[in-house]
Amino acid sequence: MSQIQAVRGTKDILAPDIDLWRIVENISSNLLDLANYKEIRIPIFENSNLYTKSLGQVTDVVQKEMYNFTDRGKRELTLRPEGTAGVARAFIENKLYAHNLPQRVWYCGPMFRYERPQSGRQRQFHQLGLECIGSSDPRVDVEIIVLALDILQSLHITNLELEINSLGNHQVRKIYREVLYNYFSQYKEELDSEAKIRLETNPLRLLDSKDPKLTNLLKEAPSILNYLDQTSSENFQLVCNYLDSISINYVVNPKLVRGLDYYNNTTFEIKSKTLGAQDTICGGGRYDTLIESLGGPPIPAVGWAMGMERLLLSIPDSTFSLSKSLDCYLITIGEEAQTYSLKLVYQLRKLNLKIDFSLTKSNLSKQIKKASQLQALTCLIIGEEELKNQTILCKWLESREQEVINMSEISIIADKIKVYKENVSLNI
Ligand code: ATP
Ligand code: MG
């Protein structure tokens, strides 16, 4: 029978990589906690119309990338392609607006988009994201940008570039859309069929086209910043001033329109210059009308999402030492010792030791070799002799020194391992 393989664009996350994932999750959740963001866990699938309504009908995600399916109850469902729409739905459904505003939440989990898999682009990928719902204060825009940079820098990711833009309010976008339509219409013959469709359906999307033939046209394209109304313009100026006040470097990129329809005013992306073509690690912005458009009260919000896979690819090698070692490997010889092994493993684990034990009957030297392969610090051996004397033979694998410890005093093992580890970390 042919072997069943993982679905294209999905990946198993195995050891030792999983240790890095956990480090990233721990560092980021601690920083988010310090900023008073609470974790939210929302379902992985939702009613399809949640996404068609919020992301926009003529976006790449909705038109080409969604994993839609009908369940046995004939419900039209979608595996979530992003987190914001689900968070907004949960916010409304659980009436979180009735509590203190703003509500600050973060999430981390798998997202699903039908895209061409390549480095930093999968069909099941993971996003770490946050939303601050209930304030239009531009300081929040800056606070969340700083938080994203802080997370990335805490993970030793350097060579980051922050790009910001403002999309103004929906009226501004409507006017600008028209301006762009008129501009690109003059050069229709230079547009390929995909660009022609974008021109008719969503001309703003032409701005993030990667087609080299459009480079010059894009350079000359009118800038949205010239069409901002006074409030949007003042708002954007404040965001820039606040960033300046805390010495955060940024580049204003008037072509940064972002892929989804719900954004207004501030949009931003954080790119890593060390990543290849897929260089955006984090993207976000304001979405002041989304909650209302989904049936909630008119409450402004802002948020971002980071691609975990791209983030992990950007962490320099050997930034974090991943613990490969075991504290103890237990070898028991003879049936009576084997029975005792279960109790001892349990007792050692209670002493906070990382322990594994042998399940084979192969000879002692082979078993010790296995302990070395597992990078155990100590090998604990119990044979007939030890059982008779109620002792354990403790062999330090690095120095090959060994000592005899009374079974009633196993905490000595834990103490010695602790001292050993402290010395090792002092020597680094
Ligand atoms: P891109 O232009 O790379 O497709 P996007 O604008 O579609 O990105 P967002 O919806 O803003 O992406 O998602 C935020 C982040 O999630 C991206 O910056 C990226 O790091 C990550 N991301 C998006 N799609 C994928 C994917 N298919 N595989 C891996 N990471 C992804
Ligand atoms: Mg995309």
Side-chain angles (χ1 to χ4, degrees), residues 244-256:
D244 292 336
S245 76
I246 45 173
S247 309
I248 303 269
N249 292 327
Y250 58 88
V251 176
V252 175
N253 175 3
K255 303 211 165 49
L256 185 73

Side-chain angles (χ1 to χ4, degrees), residues 9 70 155 176 233 252 320:
T70 311
L155 296 167
Y176 181 61
S233 172
V252 175
F320 298 101

